[in-house]
Amino acid sequence: MSIDLFRTRDHVPDFDDKVLEYKRLSAETRNELQVIADVTYGPAPGQRLDVFVPSSASSAKRAGLPVHIFIHGGYWRMFSKDDFSYVARTIVGAGAIAVVLDHDLMPSVRLADVVRQVRDAKTWVLENIHFYGGDASRLTVSGHSAGAHLATFLFTEDEEVPPRAALLLGGVYNIRPLRQSFLQPLIQLTDDEVSQFSPIDKHFQPRVETVILYGERETAPFHAQAGGLAWQIKQAGCDVSLSALTDADHMSSVLDLGFPDREAGARLSSLIACY
């Protein structure tokens, strides 16, 4: 029987423990930080987001804060924003407003719907974040796994207002191989979806600083896809850095985003601080 290099559970022995840790830390974060929860950014059930505001700033000082959107992973079919609230700790700690968003999940919707919803969320932020003290011109974004895939669609060449920078962690940027993976019976990727929604085939807006990260202990396809996307985005004239996170796997790397003293979290903090 062949080994499926995209089935993360088979390559991370403590997969379930990590998921429980996400949930525990996220619940603590929602209790500790100031959050405006379940804000509607569109008509679909999954179009909800949470806004975490730095509580150390007085209301008079909140105007003009940087803003950061985080998009969760789960192969477009699982998890929710509530599982990844903990990432807001690092974002808020860097002095920015954190927007952690949800979208509808496949297969109840198609990939075109998910991409559109994430773009709708960015539009909502651009139009509304000033009500929460944010400066939309200081927008940065990040995503993990399928969330990193989705984050790329916020600065493709057809996006008129791209973020200033992006951090992409453990992403899938060529989705063709997924049709031969465990995932295909679950979400039934089509020929059209593969051709339209593989970032490796896209052109990107120039001058978007892009940090592409992957775990040192992730499987080979994640290493290769990160390198391929780095080359593709560099062709657009973006400032790109590509790094492996020491001793990190697909699940530990995103956990570390919530800790600014760990490698992934430090990279996120640094990105936000630049804008």
Side-chain angles (χ1 to χ4, degrees):
M1 183 177 180
S2 62
I3 297 173
D4 190 335
L5 296 177
F6 288 103
R7 185 176 165 84
T8 303
R9 181 183 292 277
D10 293 345
H11 305 280
V12 179
D14 60 349
F15 181 99
D16 291 317
D17 291 338
K18 284 289 192 303
V19 172
L20 290 175
E21 184 70 353
Y22 300 164
K23 293 178 182 295
R24 184 186 69 79
L25 286 172
S26 291
E28 288 181 359
T29 299
R30 291 191 297 274
N31 286 328
E32 293 168 359
L33 298 183
Q34 180 175 331
V35 57
I36 302 92
D38 294 319
V39 179
T40 300
Y41 70 86
Q47 290 185 278
R48 303 290 183 271
L49 56 81
D50 295 342
V51 180
F52 294 84
V53 179
S55 58
S56 59
S58 69
S59 58
K61 295 179 180 179
R62 281 192 188 136
L65 291 175
V67 184
H68 186 87
I69 294 173
F70 175 76
I71 309 169
H72 71 79
Y75 280 131
W76 312 282
R77 60 173 287 270
M78 61 185 293
F79 295 130
S80 78
K81 62 179 175 57
D82 292 344
D83 299 315
F84 293 91
S85 301
Y86 67 85
V87 178
R89 291 180 169 187
T90 296
I91 300 168
V92 169
I97 292 174
V99 178
V100 183
L101 65 89
D102 256 345
H103 54 76
D104 286 328
L105 300 176
M106 297 179 74
S108 62
V109 298
R110 299 313 308 165
L111 196 50
D113 301 304
V114 179
V115 170
R116 175 183 50 76
Q117 288 181 10
V118 169
R119 285 173 162 169
D120 287 348
K122 188 191 76 171
T123 298
W124 183 94
V125 168
L126 294 174
E127 294 177 350
N128 295 281
I129 203 63
H130 66 279
F131 292 117
Y132 303 87
D135 180 351
S137 72
R138 303 178 69 188
L139 176 65
T140 57
V141 303
S142 66
H144 171 247
S145 195
H149 164 276
L150 294 169
T152 68
F153 287 93
L154 301 184
F155 61 105
T156 49
E157 64 178 353
D158 53 335
E159 286 291 286
E160 293 183 2
V161 186
R164 298 179 69 174
L167 184 148
L168 309 174
L169 174 59
V172 180
Y173 312 113
N174 177 3
I175 64 176
R176 290 175 183 83
L178 295 178
R179 298 192 74 189
Q180 283 73 53
S181 77
F182 81 100
L183 192 63
Q184 185 61 12
L186 299 174
I187 65 172
Q188 293 291 323
L189 288 167
T190 66
D191 289 340
D192 186 58
E193 286 171 327
V194 165
S195 66
Q196 285 197 52
F197 299 112
S198 285
I200 202 74
D201 297 329
K202 296 297 180 182
H203 298 287
F204 292 89
Q205 287 279 5
R207 296 180 297 279
V208 177
E209 180 185 352
T210 309
V211 175
I212 301 176
L213 304 175
Y214 59 94
E216 184 179 54
R217 293 194 287 119
E218 291 195 81
T219 56
F222 289 95
H223 293 223
Q225 295 220 4
L229 185 73
W231 184 91
Q232 182 74 357
I233 291 180
K234 191 172 184 178
Q235 304 314 299
C238 296
D239 180 12
V240 180
S241 66
L242 173 67
S243 302
L245 298 170
T246 304
D247 201 35
D249 59 41
H250 194 72
M251 303 298 282
S252 66
S253 62
V254 67
L255 180 63
D256 289 351
L257 280 183
F259 296 86
D261 58 341
R262 299 180 186 177
E263 190 175 2
R267 296 296 296 271
L268 180 58
S269 291
S270 177
L271 184 83
I272 294 168
C274 290
Y275 298 97

